[in-house]
Amino acid sequence: MQKQRVSRHNGRAGKHGVYNPRHNDRSFDVKNAENIAGERTRLNLYWDCANGLRTHEENSRFPTFTQHERNEYERRYGAFVAGQNQRNTKAGHAKRNRTIDDLLGDARICPEETIYQFGTLDEHASVEDLVLVVTEFMSEFHERFGTHVHLLDWALHLDES
């Protein structure tokens, strides 16, 4: 195999606002996406911190990434948001009150998306090697950043050109 192209993109928002996690869990009609080879979508893998790893066929039995991320924000930050809203109201600044949906829609504090691309649709590492890369990445991530930075979900797309 020849040298593989590797690229990385990181961000929270683009010209149309915060990134939509529907692209990652394929909770849309892939026939409308030019860069997706629909016959390969069945090869994709998905993971979230509440439900673990699953195949594309299993993915429909779990919350979408959009719902999962909202659930995690509610679980992790809901009590803080409620307390801050009480403090805001008490101080006469109820206009500053926010909801979990406000947090998810704010480019400064919404989930951050990182995309790693290895190779092309036709020239790429094996699924086993890619899963090993993700597993090692998550281990290193937790070792470096501890538990205060949260990995909410990820997808291994084997259907993109």
Side-chain angles (χ1 to χ4, degrees), residues 90-147:
K90 186 176 180 181
H93 300 292
K95 291 186 279 192
R96 296 179 184 171
N97 287 354
R98 300 173 69 163
T99 65
I100 293 298
D101 291 327
D102 293 333
L103 299 183
L104 289 165
D106 187 327
R108 296 169 298 164
I109 51 182
C110 67
E112 186 172 300
E113 178 178 278
T114 302
I115 299 171
Y116 292 94
Q117 179 182 341
F118 300 94
T120 65
L121 184 63
D122 298 317
E123 278 288 320
H124 53 80
S126 69
V127 174
E128 295 78 16
D129 286 344
L130 292 171
V131 169
L132 182 61
V133 167
V134 170
T135 303
E136 288 181 17
F137 172 82
M138 290 177 63
S139 177
E140 180 68 21
F141 186 92
H142 288 299
E143 187 175 315
R144 284 187 185 199
F145 302 111
T147 59

Side-chain angles (χ1 to χ4, degrees), residues 23 37 41-42 85 121:
H23 167 81
T41 300
R42 64 181 170 68
N85 288 347
L121 184 63

Side-chain angles (χ1 to χ4, degrees), residues 3-159:
K3 273 189 172 179
Q4 293 293 306
R5 175 183 173 211
V6 176
S7 62
R8 179 178 176 270
H9 165 77
N10 199 64
R12 294 176 191 262
K15 64 183 177 181
H16 300 294
V18 299
Y19 292 136
N20 188 335
R22 289 181 22 182
H23 167 81
N24 294 325
D25 68 5
R26 298 297 195 248
S27 57
F28 66 98
D29 187 357
V30 298
K31 292 179 202 140
N32 296 326
E34 293 177 12
N35 67 319
I36 296 175
E39 70 280 0
R40 295 177 56 96
T41 300
R42 64 181 170 68
L43 302 172
N44 291 347
L45 297 174
Y46 308 92
W47 176 91
D48 72 58
C49 63
N51 301 293
L53 185 64
R54 56 195 174 265
T55 65
H56 184 72
E57 287 77 24
E58 297 168 324
N59 199 40
S60 64
R61 296 194 307 254
F62 294 91
T64 64
F65 280 6
T66 301
Q67 186 60 50
H68 168 70
E69 290 175 6
R70 190 183 189 299
N71 293 346
E72 284 299 305
Y73 264 56
E74 184 66 49
R75 183 177 73 81
R76 293 175 187 271
Y77 315 121
F80 173 80
V81 169
Q84 185 62 52
N85 288 347
Q86 287 177 341
R87 290 185 292 280
N88 289 343
T89 301
K90 186 176 180 181
H93 300 292
K95 291 186 279 192
R96 296 179 184 171
N97 287 354
R98 300 173 69 163
T99 65
I100 293 298
D101 291 327
D102 293 333
L103 299 183
L104 289 165
D106 187 327
R108 296 169 298 164
I109 51 182
C110 67
E112 186 172 300
E113 178 178 278
T114 302
I115 299 171
Y116 292 94
Q117 179 182 341
F118 300 94
T120 65
L121 184 63
D122 298 317
E123 278 288 320
H124 53 80
S126 69
V127 174
E128 295 78 16
D129 286 344
L130 292 171
V131 169
L132 182 61
V133 167
V134 170
T135 303
E136 288 181 17
F137 172 82
M138 290 177 63
S139 177
E140 180 68 21
F141 186 92
H142 288 299
E143 187 175 315
R144 284 187 185 199
F145 302 111
T147 59
H148 67 284
V149 179
H150 310 122
L151 285 172
L152 300 181
D153 45 51
W154 59 261
L156 177 58
H157 294 156
L158 299 171
D159 61 352

